[in-house]
Amino acid sequence: MQGDFYQLLKDQGYVLGMPGQAGVGQTLTTATTILAFKYRHGVLVAGDRRATAGNMVMYDRTDKVLEIDRHSVMAIAGVPATAYEMVRILEHSFKYYRRTQLQELSFEGKLRALSKLLKENVPAALAGTGAVVPIFAGYDAEQEAAKIYFYDILGAEFEGAEYAVSGSGSPTIRGILHYVNTWGEQPLSAMSEEQAAVQALRLLTCAAEFDSATGGVNREAGLYPVVKLITSDGVTAMSDPHLRSLFESNVSKGL
Amino acid sequence: MYEEPYRWVEAVGNRRQYLDAQFAQGSPVVGVACEQGILLMTMSKGTPKLYEIYDRLAFGGMGHPADLEKLRFTLLEMAHVEGFNRSASDVTGSRLVKYGIAPVVKQAFEEVFKAPFIVKIMLAELSQKVGKDGFLTITYDGVFEEKSRYAVLAASASVEQQMMEYLRPQSCVSLKDAVDLAIHTWAVGDRAQRHTDETGGDPKDARGSSDQPVTDSPTLMTHVRQCMQEKSIECALLDRHVPGTSKYRTLGAGELETLLPKDLSSALT
């Protein structure tokens, strides 16, 4: 079938994940708390910025919420090397499809493309060298709705009706999301953009409180989580100054 | 029979004549750089002639649709594999043409037992800096040329020259200027092509008795309006101001209406 960029790569001898055994005593870099939920105008996707290898903090400026095209975002948890490679493949696949077939790949087609990559990556995931557990969120132009999907390492795809979380810090905030959404003043889906961003900052601060592999807000270094919004207009990233003012007025007072 | 060098040269010469005749009915393509980016313009019947190749590369073509499609796919494959394996900034028009399609096109042209590509192609490349935008054109025999500011494709070299002469003294700043200039240039080319066709294909006659192509705006616009009865104006823009990495977009009917010279925008609907 024409328009399949991944097939084109494979025809040229490309292999995505090399299955292998994680060496004893070798710790792999992993990346950590990501979340997505629906708010009034679309979907908010956020992630902390820490990458760790065992007890080591490898990097504190990781961007785990990656734009694949104007209307979709993949947030990554797991081994970043594999995750970044998957993002690159998807980015090129969607562009290649659009440019060869002269139409946009459908939202379902995009989801399927990610599933396929995860499935191909199963040997590496099981060997412990390349597990990736992403969240995929995007705007479905046909159905005129923003949607959230999450995956397991084998490539099974689940739709998150209201929210989805992934990464080592996610158990902490999953319960909070359920609580806020069910018994909070208003459900997540009724929140404005600013209310949603405040919620995301609070949730990531919580995750950082209990999970050493999640980096919270580091005000001295001016480090804030990555927060992206998906609406019918496409993907926009919230600027650091905006996040700082929201954090200072709504989050830090309790700390 | 082609083992004799003379016969081979003769065969290639015949092939050139045959190919030149194939473009006589084609629609010229005009590329103009302006402040906002690069505009590509043509008039087409049904099948589009302007396409997106990569983040900053656009394609315009004349010739057989199937041949154009084949080369378009070759370019798309090369560009995307290169963009993935290396980076988007390594995907340049000049590499795609010089090391990609030009050798293929030339080989097909000279292998006289096989079919040549009936194509003329223009690649427009949007630079990171204003004023550095460029074009590459390639013809059916694999000859390519690099141009800046503007480029044209037309049925014959003499028509292309007339179009370039018309373009040269013009200045073009805004997108509206670019659309205006492109349409006038297209009309200069299309009129010259038809004239050549009527006078039996002798390029020396292309300028007519006055030896000068008609360049006054009302005549050119009347010509475009007549063409609009069976063809439609196709415009694509490599837009510097589009957010994200992909800069290519087509100009829809609504936008064209605001950009076209007044007497044409009324003919759109």
Side-chain angles (χ1 to χ4, degrees), chain A residues 138-155:
Chain A
Y139 189 81
D140 184 343
E142 266 167 62
Q143 300 197 5
E144 296 182 1
K147 293 177 175 176
I148 305 169
Y149 285 82
F150 58 102
Y151 293 81
D152 66 6
I153 58 169
L154 303 180

Side-chain angles (χ1 to χ4, degrees), chain B residues 20 41 63 82 123 136-137 144 154 164 171 178 199 213 220:
Chain B
D20 279 335
M41 180 267 159
E82 185 69 8
L123 272 188
L136 277 134
T137 55
F144 52 82
M164 288 301 265
S171 76
T199 51
L220 295 175

Side-chain angles (χ1 to χ4, degrees), chain A residues 88 92 95 98-100, chain B residues 52 54-55 72 84 246:
Chain A
R88 272 178 76 77
H92 272 83
K95 279 184 191 172
R98 184 184 73 229
R99 290 166 183 163
T100 54
Chain B
E52 178 180 16
Y54 203 67
D55 293 357
R72 185 173 76 90
F84 176 79
S246 297

Side-chain angles (χ1 to χ4, degrees), chain A residues 45-249:
Chain A
V45 190
D48 75 302
R49 304 189 61 178
R50 177 167 291 177
T52 55
N55 289 330
M56 268 270 275
V57 174
M58 290 287 292
Y59 193 45
D60 247 346
R61 291 168 193 268
T62 324
D63 184 357
K64 301 172 195 174
V65 184
L66 303 160
E67 265 180 72
I68 296 188
D69 59 21
R70 288 287 306 130
H71 290 94
S72 41
V73 152
M74 181 168 143
I76 54 169
V79 176
T82 316
Y84 285 135
E85 190 78 353
M86 285 181 178
V87 168
R88 272 178 76 77
I89 295 176
L90 289 179
E91 207 182 327
H92 272 83
S93 299
F94 298 173
K95 279 184 191 172
Y96 184 73
Y97 183 91
R98 184 184 73 229
R99 290 166 183 163
T100 54
Q101 310 300 302
L102 306 176
Q103 63 178 50
E104 209 50 66
L105 181 60
S106 71
F107 190 71
E108 276 185 23
K110 291 179 182 176
L111 291 172
R112 182 78 197 112
L114 175 54
S115 279
K116 240 166 71 184
L117 288 183
L118 288 166
K119 205 183 94 205
E120 299 248 341
N121 189 47
V122 165
L126 293 180
T129 51
V132 176
V133 204
I135 294 175
F136 187 93
Y139 189 81
D140 184 343
E142 266 167 62
Q143 300 197 5
E144 296 182 1
K147 293 177 175 176
I148 305 169
Y149 285 82
F150 58 102
Y151 293 81
D152 66 6
I153 58 169
L154 303 180
E157 157 200 316
F158 308 98
E159 178 165 10
E162 317 262 359
Y163 56 83
V165 290
S166 185
S168 59
S170 63
T172 312
I173 59 170
R174 200 171 171 202
I176 305 176
L177 271 163
H178 179 72
Y179 188 95
V180 168
N181 194 39
T182 319
W183 296 289
E185 274 173 36
Q186 54 180 351
L188 295 166
S189 59
M191 287 182 179
S192 70
E193 186 183 302
E194 296 223 326
Q195 287 170 320
V198 167
Q199 208 58 247
L201 287 172
R202 287 181 181 165
L203 286 162
L204 287 171
T205 307
C206 267
E209 182 79 18
F210 297 106
D211 175 35
S212 62
T214 297
V217 170
N218 181 344
R219 274 191 282 174
E220 284 111 58
L223 279 179
Y224 291 86
V226 176
V227 178
K228 288 187 178 160
L229 304 162
I230 307 165
T231 61
S232 55
D233 296 334
V235 181
T236 47
M238 281 192 118
S239 69
D240 276 357
H242 193 183
L243 286 172
R244 188 193 310 126
S245 78
L246 288 177
F247 186 84
E248 274 161 14
S249 55

